[in-house]
Amino acid sequence: MPSTGEQMAPRIAVDAMGGDFGPQVVVPGAVDAAREGIAVTLVGDEERINAELAKLNTGGLDISVVHATQVVEMDDKPADALRRKRDSSIQVACRLVKDGGADGVVSAGNSGATVACGMFVLGRIKGVLRPALAGIMPTEKTPVVLIDVGANVDSKPQHLFQFGLMADVLARYVLGVDNPSVGILSIGEEEGKGNATVRESFDLLRESNLRFIGNVEGRDIFTGDVDVVVCDGFVGNVALKLSEGLAKSMSSLLRKELTASWLSKLGALLSLRAFKRFKKLVDYAEYGGAPLLGLKGVVIVAHGKSNELAVANCIRMAATSVRNRTHEHLAEGLAAHKDITGRNGRSDKDAA
Amino acid sequence: MPSTGEQMAPRIAVDAMGGDFGPQVVVPGAVDAAREGIAVTLVGDEERINAELAKLNTGGLDISVVHATQVVEMDDKPADALRRKRDSSIQVACRLVKDGGADGVVSAGNSGATVACGMFVLGRIKGVLRPALAGIMPTEKTPVVLIDVGANVDSKPQHLFQFGLMADVLARYVLGVDNPSVGILSIGEEEGKGNATVRESFDLLRESNLRFIGNVEGRDIFTGDVDVVVCDGFVGNVALKLSEGLAKSMSSLLRKELTASWLSKLGALLSLRAFKRFKKLVDYAEYGGAPLLGLKGVVIVAHGKSNELAVANCIRMAATSVRNRTHEHLAEGLAAHKDITGRNGRSDKDAA
């Protein structure tokens, strides 16, 4: 029997082989999440998983292990992972959800393969044109959802419109934002700025029941003044990786300067607590996961560099998503805007 | 007689009314540049310019003033600025170049209007499909040129290809990079990743005589390992503004943390020199200007928030561009790749 997410604890299937560090980081992260009452199924090389579990105190926790003989490598092509590695940990984890053995999947493995397996194995919610990856990024205030961060390129206005609908549901029911504001990423604040796709999407979003605030610019993403930022997956992926790269470069420059003299070293030592808090704020591990929205099941794509905290956070996020019936709200939101999405004769069949 | 940039000092027309701070910042910045032997023509409200000049020691400097009765405001639409403000400081400055009274223009004013005036008044170099704005950004090593950062949206592969050619010339003859590496911004390192336009542009760039290194990702921009990054103006503008916003947010978070306790305050005080050096590295004022490439004349779009140093740097950059005959090299580069650019029957007439 599938757990319904109502009375029973949500059960999350975790790709134990995924990520740059594999079972030795994923397993302890999953155990941390299990300590909070989440049921966890670890999928992958049984022997290696059990070896990691043996190092930890798992008494009384609802943890099961499902063996998978294959592993998707970071440089495997998504299509190859799908076809040639049917018994890979990520594909087995997705099938668990499909078959009712789990409510959601978390993987820190090859993200292209995770997206492909999620789409292929679980399938789309009725009405969804294209599933989208929602990046959750830290800001000066509350986190911002950037959608899409790489599941789609060359998106059409109807796709961008639905990304906004889906991220609104995510912000409400997973991040706990009351009446989230939604903007569309453009290159000027005024209406009419941007490229052809953005201008058309602007019109669709304005007609919806979302709290649409119009165009937002690159500089507005990190202020925390907007809850959801809609964009094509090409732009979103560039933005996500650029932010990551810039934060890393800034930190490394600062470290270099601070260790350049004994005086600055002493200063840095005295300010250590402040730096730690700062690092925490800019650290992706705090959020770490990008939900893939629009599928019949919860899929969270964790960062390849995820540490234990990030893995645990992703599992928590998946559980919250299940508990708060995000998928039902998503289907409702899509159904309520069917007239806007279906315009110009576009329908489900239009999806890639 | 126009100065040829060979024997005579280059003469740069400076929009004295532009930028968030107007003449009181632009005039001292221009005077600093003039002290290095650059001839400067300040364009704008004669009375205000002279009042600022009177505060400074300008003896022996080649500084002239040309009166303009109008000013383009930051929120004026580019088209309106062109049609209704024919005697604006930026338009008069561009006409000076057109008529041979100056070799280049620098403006920190409304950037859309500056781009529009540059294109309309100066016109394109033969063979240029679309002029492009080259953002010059600090990295961990030498600066990187990101092109286009907002002059064009919905660019076609031939446009992106030419952006690469033009930025290569900029990197060589203005930034002094020997044999610059050129990448195309995409969402995966492997060939074949990206959207349709990027994939086509990849093929064109590979055929050129540029040192093309293939796809680069958002995270590669700030490492300093690539000299030129080619992208559509929508993506580039988002990237530029996002970087600016993120750097600002990170600095403000850090400041907040460092002043949260007396201990961290003391630490920050001891590390002050390190922070100043760090700030200088991430500070756009050090570069401050985005050259608009592909026009019959040098146009540098300075940041609206430019301080004196940034204004002076932009004037220096314009002068270097004139001295090193960037435009001739640009025309040569375009002519050498005519067969690639002209493919599919595309030509000059194809430009927007």
Side-chain angles (χ1 to χ4, degrees):
Chain A
M1 270 289 291
S3 50
T4 63
E6 197 161 22
Q7 303 298 350
M8 291 168 68
R11 173 167 294 279
I12 308 303
V14 179
D15 171 9
M17 312 310 285
D20 295 355
F21 313 111
Q24 71 189 86
V25 158
V26 177
V27 172
V31 169
D32 280 345
R35 288 201 179 105
E36 295 165 23
I38 303 169
V40 171
T41 299
L42 291 160
V43 184
D45 181 333
E46 210 166 10
E47 208 169 309
R48 287 186 62 192
I49 295 171
N50 284 328
E52 293 300 330
L53 283 173
K55 298 178 194 165
L56 303 158
N57 180 3
T58 57
L61 302 181
D62 188 349
I63 299 177
S64 56
V65 178
V66 167
H67 186 61
T69 58
Q70 291 175 302
V71 174
V72 175
E73 303 299 335
M74 282 308 201
D75 54 0
D76 280 346
K77 290 199 174 156
D80 290 345
L82 256 181
R83 277 188 305 244
R84 293 185 201 156
K85 295 193 170 176
R86 288 180 196 273
D87 201 42
S88 66
S89 50
I90 175 60
Q91 202 161 154
V92 171
C94 287
R95 275 204 298 272
L96 274 177
V97 177
K98 170 84 176 168
D99 300 340
D103 303 296
V105 180
V106 169
S107 175
N110 181 319
S111 47
T114 306
V115 168
C117 284
M119 291 199 192
F120 183 79
V121 175
L122 297 175
R124 287 176 279 151
I125 291 175
K126 193 175 177 313
V128 170
L129 298 171
R130 288 193 182 182
L133 207 50
I136 302 173
M137 308 207 291
T139 76
E140 292 187 55
K141 298 166 196 163
T142 51
V144 62
V145 180
L146 186 67
I147 186 166
D148 170 48
V149 294
N152 307 278
V153 295
D154 298 320
S155 310
K156 297 193 169 69
Q158 276 82 355
H159 304 149
L160 293 179
F161 172 63
Q162 283 200 340
F163 297 169
L165 294 180
M166 296 195 291
D168 172 75
V169 170
L170 176 76
R172 279 174 202 270
Y173 297 99
V174 178
L175 304 178
V177 183
D178 189 38
N179 200 17
S181 57
V182 178
I184 184 155
L185 191 57
S186 191
I187 59 169
E189 283 172 16
E190 315 80 30
E191 191 183 334
K193 290 271 183 155
N195 56 23
T197 309
V198 165
R199 286 193 299 267
E200 265 192 71
S201 310
F202 186 106
D203 294 335
L204 299 180
L205 285 161
R206 189 169 43 186
E207 282 182 61
S208 72
N209 66 13
L210 298 175
R211 183 150 80 86
F212 181 55
I213 59 163
N215 286 349
V216 298
E217 295 193 86
R219 67 167 69 97
D220 305 317
I221 296 178
F222 292 101
T223 58
D225 293 330
V226 56
D227 300 307
V228 170
V229 177
V230 173
C231 60
D232 171 57
F234 185 89
V235 180
N237 190 273
V238 165
L240 186 78
K241 287 182 181 159
L242 186 148
S243 310
E244 221 182 291
L246 180 58
K248 210 177 128 195
S249 292
M250 282 184 73
S251 300
S252 113
L253 279 174
L254 189 59
R255 193 165 42 240
K256 214 161 83 186
E257 290 300 335
L258 284 173
T259 52
S261 79
W262 67 267
L263 197 67
S264 61
K265 260 187 216 165
L266 176 65
L269 204 64
L270 294 178
S271 310
L272 208 58
R273 247 189 89 186
F275 283 119
K276 278 196 179 148
R277 249 186 277 146
F278 169 71
K279 213 178 155 337
K280 202 177 151 179
L281 276 164
V282 298
D283 203 345
Y284 281 80
E286 287 297 300
Y287 306 101
L292 180 60
L293 302 177
L295 299 182
K296 289 183 193 152
V298 173
V299 178
I300 311 271
V301 179
H303 199 294
K305 292 190 171 49
S306 290
N307 58 18
E308 296 179 19
L309 176 63
V311 170
N313 275 346
C314 287
I315 298 171
R316 273 183 210 113
M317 197 195 280
T320 306
S321 192
V322 174
R323 273 197 207 100
N324 295 346
R325 304 172 160 281
T326 311
H327 284 70
E328 290 170 29
H329 297 297
L330 217 145
E332 285 160 21
L334 292 167
H337 293 88
K338 221 171 159 181
D339 55 324
I340 300 179
T341 321
R343 208 164 299 165
N344 303 331
R346 291 178 200 278
S347 75
D348 290 37
K349 295 181 195 90
D350 203 47
Chain B
M1 269 289 288
S3 49
T4 63
E6 197 162 23
Q7 304 297 349
M8 292 169 66
R11 174 167 294 279
I12 308 303
V14 180
D15 171 9
M17 313 308 284
D20 295 355
F21 312 111
Q24 71 188 88
V25 159
V26 177
V27 173
V31 169
D32 279 346
R35 286 199 180 108
E36 295 166 22
I38 301 169
V40 171
T41 299
L42 291 159
V43 184
D45 181 334
E46 208 165 13
E47 207 170 309
R48 288 188 61 194
I49 295 170
N50 284 329
E52 292 300 330
L53 283 173
K55 297 178 194 167
L56 302 158
N57 180 4
T58 57
L61 302 182
D62 187 348
I63 298 177
S64 58
V65 177
V66 168
H67 186 59
T69 57
Q70 290 176 303
V71 174
V72 174
E73 304 297 335
M74 282 306 201
D75 54 359
D76 280 345
K77 290 199 172 156
D80 290 345
L82 256 181
R83 276 189 306 243
R84 293 186 200 155
K85 296 194 169 173
R86 287 179 196 274
D87 201 41
S88 65
S89 51
I90 175 60
Q91 202 161 155
V92 171
C94 286
R95 275 203 299 271
L96 274 177
V97 176
K98 170 85 176 169
D99 300 341
D103 303 296
V105 181
V106 169
S107 175
N110 181 322
S111 47
T114 305
V115 169
C117 284
M119 290 199 193
F120 185 79
V121 175
L122 297 173
R124 286 177 279 150
I125 292 175
K126 191 172 176 318
V128 170
L129 298 170
R130 288 193 183 182
L133 207 49
I136 302 172
M137 309 208 290
T139 76
E140 292 187 55
K141 299 167 195 162
T142 50
V144 62
V145 180
L146 186 68
I147 185 165
D148 171 44
V149 293
N152 306 277
V153 295
D154 297 320
S155 309
K156 296 194 170 68
Q158 275 81 357
H159 304 149
L160 292 179
F161 172 64
Q162 283 201 338
F163 298 169
L165 293 180
M166 296 195 291
D168 172 76
V169 170
L170 176 76
R172 279 173 201 271
Y173 297 99
V174 178
L175 304 178
V177 183
D178 190 39
N179 199 17
S181 57
V182 178
I184 184 154
L185 191 56
S186 191
I187 59 170
E189 283 172 17
E190 314 80 29
E191 190 184 336
K193 290 272 184 156
N195 56 24
T197 309
V198 165
R199 285 193 300 266
E200 264 192 73
S201 310
F202 186 106
D203 293 335
L204 299 180
L205 285 161
R206 188 170 42 187
E207 282 183 62
S208 71
N209 66 13
L210 299 176
R211 183 149 78 87
F212 181 54
I213 59 162
N215 286 348
V216 299
E217 296 193 85
R219 68 167 68 99
D220 305 318
I221 296 178
F222 292 101
T223 57
D225 293 330
V226 55
D227 299 308
V228 170
V229 177
V230 173
C231 60
D232 171 58
F234 185 90
V235 180
N237 190 273
V238 165
L240 186 78
K241 287 181 181 161
L242 186 148
S243 310
E244 221 181 294
L246 181 58
K248 212 177 127 196
S249 291
M250 282 185 73
S251 301
S252 113
L253 279 174
L254 190 59
R255 192 163 43 239
K256 215 160 81 183
E257 290 300 335
L258 284 172
T259 52
S261 78
W262 68 266
L263 197 67
S264 61
K265 260 186 216 165
L266 176 65
L269 204 65
L270 294 177
S271 310
L272 208 58
R273 246 189 90 187
F275 283 118
K276 278 195 180 147
R277 249 185 276 145
F278 169 70
K279 214 178 153 333
K280 201 176 151 180
L281 276 165
V282 299
D283 203 346
Y284 281 82
E286 287 297 300
Y287 306 101
L292 180 60
L293 302 177
L295 299 181
K296 288 181 194 152
V298 173
V299 177
I300 311 271
V301 179
H303 199 293
K305 292 189 170 50
S306 289
N307 58 18
E308 296 179 20
L309 176 63
V311 170
N313 275 345
C314 287
I315 297 171
R316 271 181 211 118
M317 196 196 282
T320 305
S321 192
V322 174
R323 271 195 208 103
N324 295 345
R325 303 171 162 279
T326 311
H327 284 69
E328 291 171 28
H329 297 296
L330 217 144
E332 284 161 20
L334 292 168
H337 292 88
K338 222 171 160 181
D339 56 324
I340 299 179
T341 322
R343 208 163 300 164
N344 302 332
R346 292 179 199 279
S347 74
D348 289 38
K349 294 178 193 94
D350 202 47

